[in-house]
Amino acid sequence: MAFTNKDVMDLRAKTGVGMMDCKKALTEADGDMEKAIELLREKGMATSAKRAGKIASQGTVEAYNDGKFGVLVEVNCESDFVARGDQFKAFVMDVAKYIAQNNVDTVEQVTEGMSVALAEAVAKIGEKIAVRRFAKYPVANSKLESYIHMGGKIGVLVELSANASDELAHDIAMQIAAANPSYVKIAEVPQEEIEKEKEILKAQALNEDKPKPLNIIEKMVEGRINKYYKEVCLLEQPFVKDGDKTIKALLKEAGADVARFTRFVMGEGLEKKEENLADEVQAQINSAKKA
């Protein structure tokens, strides 16, 4: 599989590794981006277990809670100028309220249900607007907390046991925003992901300068996998306000639990597309007229 200079630059952006090493990795991986990342990690050059991906879209993440449901939603637009404007922010809040107050499970249902409002927003603002994704949690028998960071660049919605205090819920939401866990606890990590991580850690140990016996390497892998759990599992992470205490210990002290969470980074994984804006606006207006 051939690769381009843009692929090399994308790999560099995702791993922080030098251009020449990225080019070598892509060559060895026959142009496969994910395989190239694995190869760089095995060589100890790219150590992060998770990469956010290239963020090219604009927009915002917003949260809303009407007492029955809590919602976290991402809505995209074309420019940062529009994303920071009051009109766009008001529309995003309207989307969050619509999701909370209506029986919707998919983005398509939201877009269809808000087709007129969406077309009007596009016509008024003058940019393409798209509802990208959302999470919706019921409030019953639980405590929901949301946290929006950097004016909508990062958003978190977390469900805790009903007995959690406001302070604890806020701290947990901030922890998720700052530390970016993927799972609540170790038991949630897929076994295939653990095995893949162990293979990478083993390859890293084998590639280190000083040769080591296999039993030593196995012990090193087990030690390093625990570090991996601290990166991806909320309960294993050190509390951002007190590094000597884990989130698991913090929750135990409070007699509370975390059931689940959603964390959105605005534009994560999206590429900015070249669009004919006039055509997009007209299409939205035509769609509204037909509704």
Side-chain angles (χ1 to χ4, degrees), residues 62 70-75 95-96 99-100 102-111 131-137 157 262 264:
E62 187 57 89
V71 170
L72 187 71
V73 64
E74 177 184 350
V75 181
V95 174
I99 293 168
N102 290 272
N103 184 24
V104 290
D105 301 309
T106 67
V107 167
E108 290 74 21
Q109 289 173 333
V110 176
T111 302
V131 181
R132 184 191 178 198
R133 53 183 174 171
F134 68 88
K136 181 178 179 179
Y137 295 171
L157 179 65
T262 297
F264 289 159

Side-chain angles (χ1 to χ4, degrees), residues 76-193:
N76 297 125
C77 57
E78 294 183 60
S79 69
D80 182 60
F81 176 78
V82 163
R84 290 184 281 107
D86 291 340
Q87 286 185 332
F88 180 75
K89 289 180 179 179
F91 175 73
V92 175
M93 181 55 73
D94 286 344
V95 174
K97 290 178 180 178
Y98 180 87
I99 293 168
Q101 296 166 4
N102 290 272
N103 184 24
V104 290
D105 301 309
T106 67
V107 167
E108 290 74 21
Q109 289 173 333
V110 176
T111 302
E112 181 178 354
M114 296 193 69
S115 59
V116 174
L118 178 58
E120 289 175 350
V122 169
K124 186 182 297 184
I125 292 172
E127 287 194 2
K128 179 183 177 181
I129 298 172
V131 181
R132 184 191 178 198
R133 53 183 174 171
F134 68 88
K136 181 178 179 179
Y137 295 171
V139 175
N141 301 317
S142 64
K143 184 179 186 65
L144 300 187
E145 180 72 11
S146 60
Y147 177 72
I148 302 298
H149 185 59
M150 296 176 62
K153 299 299 183 184
I154 298 174
V156 171
L157 179 65
V158 57
E159 180 181 349
L160 303 97
S161 52
N163 64 323
S165 68
D166 291 345
E167 181 181 3
L168 176 64
H170 183 67
D171 283 344
I172 295 297
M174 287 184 64
Q175 173 81 27
I176 295 166
N180 189 20
S182 299
Y183 309 98
V184 174
K185 52 191 175 184
I186 293 174
E188 294 178 1
V189 184
Q191 189 60 38
E192 58 268 26
E193 185 174 323

Side-chain angles (χ1 to χ4, degrees), residues 183-234:
Y183 309 98
V184 174
K185 52 191 175 184
I186 293 174
E188 294 178 1
V189 184
Q191 189 60 38
E192 58 268 26
E193 185 174 323
I194 295 172
E195 294 305 318
K196 183 177 180 180
E197 188 66 22
K198 285 183 176 180
E199 289 177 8
I200 291 172
L201 293 173
K202 185 176 180 180
Q204 287 179 357
L206 289 169
N207 284 327
E208 291 176 357
D209 293 336
K210 189 176 179 181
K212 302 174 184 66
L214 188 58
N215 65 317
I216 298 297
I217 288 176
E218 293 297 332
K219 289 181 180 179
M220 290 174 62
V221 168
E222 288 304 315
R224 291 176 181 179
I225 201 69
N226 289 329
K227 182 180 178 182
Y228 169 73
Y229 289 143
K230 289 180 181 179
E231 292 177 357
V232 302
C233 298
L234 174 65

Side-chain angles (χ1 to χ4, degrees), residues 224-288:
R224 291 176 181 179
I225 201 69
N226 289 329
K227 182 180 178 182
Y228 169 73
Y229 289 143
K230 289 180 181 179
E231 292 177 357
V232 302
C233 298
L234 174 65
L235 298 188
E236 304 303 316
Q237 290 181 340
F239 182 30
V240 291
K241 288 186 176 181
D242 181 357
D244 294 328
K245 182 183 297 183
T246 65
I247 296 300
K248 184 190 294 183
L250 180 70
L251 290 167
K252 186 176 181 180
E253 287 178 2
D257 295 304
V258 172
R260 55 178 171 166
F261 66 85
T262 297
R263 180 183 187 273
F264 289 159
V265 177
M266 187 281 297
E268 183 176 38
L270 291 180
E271 296 286 344
K272 197 174 184 73
K273 298 178 180 179
E274 294 295 329
E275 308 266 3
N276 185 319
L277 181 56
D279 289 347
E280 287 290 337
V281 173
Q282 190 59 52
Q284 295 281 4
I285 293 172
N286 291 341
S287 176

Side-chain angles (χ1 to χ4, degrees), residues 12-23:
R12 185 178 187 278
K14 290 179 178 180
T15 63
V17 176
M19 295 288 281
M20 289 305 297
D21 288 314
C22 286
K23 186 174 181 179

